[in-house]
Amino acid sequence: MSNILLVDLPYKNKYPPLGLMKIATFHKSKKDNVCFVKGFNKRAKAKKWDRVYVSTLFSFNWNTTIRTIKYYKSTVKKQKKLFVGGPMATIMADKIEEETGVRVIRGLLNEKGKL
């Protein structure tokens, strides 16, 4: 059983990101512990996670996105287990990887081997 953290960026939106909800369903079906947070959460940052997923949306939220990724980077047990995805991540993958050193998931998770 793994501890999974799902992170939505700290901006106003009515619904949680569909991609994170699909990832939550997948991990819950494996009996993993799943926690969803929005923005900078001190309690979540204080724990060590087996996997951390960060969802992105708009490119005009660049600074907030990069700060959020870096904020949670130290919470994952293995550095290669922090994943960033979503529209902005797909469009600006190289820049995000360069700025943060984390793995960006481009496009949809419907292909084997993406995670």
Side-chain angles (χ1 to χ4, degrees):
M1 188 171 353
S2 298
N3 290 315
I4 309 298
L5 178 64
L6 307 174
V7 181
D8 189 15
L9 294 175
Y11 45 69
K12 290 185 179 185
N13 53 352
K14 193 170 182 178
Y15 302 105
L18 182 60
L20 286 183
M21 296 303 97
K22 287 181 176 185
I23 291 169
T25 301
F26 169 77
H27 280 288
K28 286 179 181 181
S29 75
K30 294 176 58 176
K31 307 292 186 220
D32 291 335
N33 296 316
V34 178
C35 178
F36 177 83
V37 296
K38 190 165 184 71
F40 305 98
N41 185 296
K42 290 179 185 177
R43 203 178 270 175
K45 186 170 183 349
K47 289 181 75 175
K48 286 291 182 189
W49 302 92
D50 296 302
R51 285 180 175 229
V52 175
Y53 298 91
V54 180
S55 177
T56 67
L57 191 54
F58 302 115
S59 60
F60 56 78
N61 286 323
W62 171 263
N63 292 332
T64 302
T65 301
I66 298 303
R67 279 186 28 242
T68 304
I69 293 167
K70 289 180 177 179
Y71 183 81
Y72 288 104
K73 197 172 176 181
S74 66
T75 67
V76 69
K77 291 179 181 176
K78 293 180 182 176
Q79 210 59 29
K80 293 186 178 186
K81 296 295 182 177
L82 189 145
F83 304 94
V84 178
M88 179 187 149
T90 297
I91 295 167
M92 304 177 81
D94 293 336
K95 291 181 180 184
I96 292 171
E97 288 175 351
E98 181 182 311
E99 186 74 26
T100 64
V102 302
R103 181 174 171 204
V104 172
I105 305 300
R106 300 165 197 229
L108 302 174
L109 288 176
N110 59 352
E111 299 169 19
K112 285 189 175 187
K114 280 220 173 178
L115 294 179

